Amino acid sequence: MEQSWRQAKSIFFTLLSAPLVWLVLFFMVPLGIVWLYSFGQNEGLVGIAFTGTWANYQNAFSPLYLNIFLKSFFIAGITTLLCLIIGFPVAMAITFAPERWKPWLLLLIMLPFWTNLLIRTYALIAVLRTKGFVNMGLETIHNGLNAVTGGAMGTFEPLMLLNNNFAVVFGLVFVNLPFMVLPLYSALDRLDRSLLEASLDLGAGHIRTLFNVIVPMAGAGIASGVLITFIPALGSYLTPDLLGGPDSQMIANVIESQFKRANNWPFGAALSFLLVYLTFIAIAIQGVFEARARRRTA
């Protein structure tokens, strides 16, 4: 006879104890220390006094840092929107692909996770730089047209694709696109195909079926994809640091500079926890929308 975990609490808590201790010691305790730092002040060269001050949070809302926060939100929002626009057709293509192809298509989506983010970012640098693959390809086409037109195309000027906001958004989309595709595929794969057939049989057409049937039914997957794409994009550090220029820095780069170059750990901790608070708010908003969606379908 099967036994539920409520009837074997000792075994359940024994199995839970090791990961719980690990989580508390190596995640919750360090996180709590950083949270205390956000209410402290520098004392001497290396000391931090826990004074309970709110000055670090007040400083985070000064015009300089508020503009960086808003710019980070804008870049993360553009990244999420592009990932949704690109990822939805990809997820649909995988959903309606033949069964024998689905594992291979999913493997292609997950393949970037097998490569370190730093290596992928340096690969993008090789693609986007002045002498990168994109500009080399364009120069080849330009030289070919010059040969055909007798030099009418003039001198080739390479595109400035690196060290700007375009490179940051391009890199963030490249990095975060799988996070959008996978939850979208998970939601679309559970769709009732008979509803799609009924919509088409009643003369709705493919476009109308897409927006009136598929998109609403995939709402949970869209919400999950938006959340798990927007939050990492908002807190991204490596991509804007390597691909962006002086005007492309995001809030995570400011946090890094406060902990390292400025040696202002309390202010860096305050900025860090503002991101944590925003993450909790985003998760709460998603939970509210999902609860409303469940009530509408109940």
Side-chain angles (χ1 to χ4, degrees):
M1 186 172 60
E2 293 185 1
Q3 188 180 32
S4 69
W5 67 268
R6 292 183 178 86
Q7 297 172 317
K9 293 183 179 180
S10 59
I11 298 176
F12 175 78
F13 286 112
T14 300
L15 296 174
L16 181 65
S17 59
L20 187 62
V21 169
W22 180 277
L23 180 66
V24 170
L25 288 180
F26 297 104
F27 180 75
M28 298 301 297
V29 171
L31 198 64
I33 294 173
V34 175
W35 181 73
L36 289 175
Y37 281 168
S38 68
F39 297 99
Q41 291 179 325
N42 280 338
E43 190 176 63
L45 294 177
V46 294
I48 296 176
F50 301 102
T51 60
T53 179
W54 288 88
N56 297 311
Y57 289 98
Q58 293 173 355
N59 190 24
F61 286 98
S62 63
L64 173 62
Y65 297 108
L66 189 59
N67 287 336
I68 296 175
F69 262 111
L70 293 176
K71 183 177 182 179
S72 300
F73 268 95
F74 178 75
I75 292 178
I78 292 294
T79 299
T80 304
L81 179 61
L82 291 175
C83 285
L84 180 60
I85 294 173
I86 299 170
F88 200 92
V90 173
M92 282 191 60
I94 298 174
T95 300
F96 294 102
E99 289 297 328
R100 67 178 183 276
W101 289 107
K102 283 185 181 181
W104 297 103
L105 294 174
L106 289 173
L107 179 63
L108 290 177
I109 297 297
M110 293 184 289
L111 198 59
F113 292 124
W114 297 2
T115 306
N116 186 274
L117 175 60
L118 184 62
I119 297 175
R120 284 183 279 159
T121 305
Y122 275 114
L124 282 180
I125 294 175
V127 172
L128 299 176
R129 63 186 178 184
T130 305
K131 293 294 184 181
F133 296 119
V134 173
N135 278 311
M136 289 173 61
L138 293 175
E139 186 176 12
T140 302
I141 296 173
H142 181 273
N143 293 337
L145 292 175
N146 259 341
V148 173
T149 60
M153 301 298 296
T155 305
F156 174 76
E157 294 293 337
L159 299 177
M160 301 303 295
L161 302 176
L162 202 59
N163 300 324
N164 50 39
N165 290 329
F166 165 80
V168 173
V169 173
F170 186 88
L172 289 175
V173 170
F174 173 74
V175 169
N176 293 292
L177 186 58
F179 294 118
M180 180 66 76
V181 173
L182 293 177
L184 286 175
Y185 166 75
S186 177
L188 291 172
D189 196 49
R190 295 194 300 266
L191 291 180
D192 187 352
R193 305 291 178 90
S194 62
L195 295 177
L196 308 183
E197 295 173 359
S199 176
L200 295 173
D201 290 342
L202 292 173
H206 289 87
I207 300 298
R208 194 171 178 182
T209 299
L210 172 64
F211 287 101
N212 291 351
V213 180
I214 297 178
V215 171
M217 293 180 66
I222 293 174
S224 298
V226 167
L227 185 67
I228 65 176
T229 301
F230 180 81
I231 291 175
L234 180 63
S236 179
Y237 161 73
L238 185 64
T239 301
D241 187 60
L242 295 179
L243 300 181
D247 297 328
S248 305
Q249 300 299 289
M250 296 175 64
I251 192 62
N253 304 104
V254 177
I255 294 172
E256 183 268 346
S257 67
Q258 294 300 319
F259 275 99
K260 289 186 177 180
R261 291 185 288 273
N263 197 31
N264 191 352
W265 286 31
F267 183 53
L271 292 175
S272 302
F273 265 88
L274 282 176
L275 286 181
V276 174
Y277 303 147
L278 292 172
T279 300
F280 287 156
I281 292 172
I283 294 173
I285 292 174
Q286 186 206 19
V288 170
F289 279 113
E290 287 186 351
R292 289 180 178 177
R294 284 195 295 268
R295 284 197 297 268
R296 284 197 299 267
T297 56

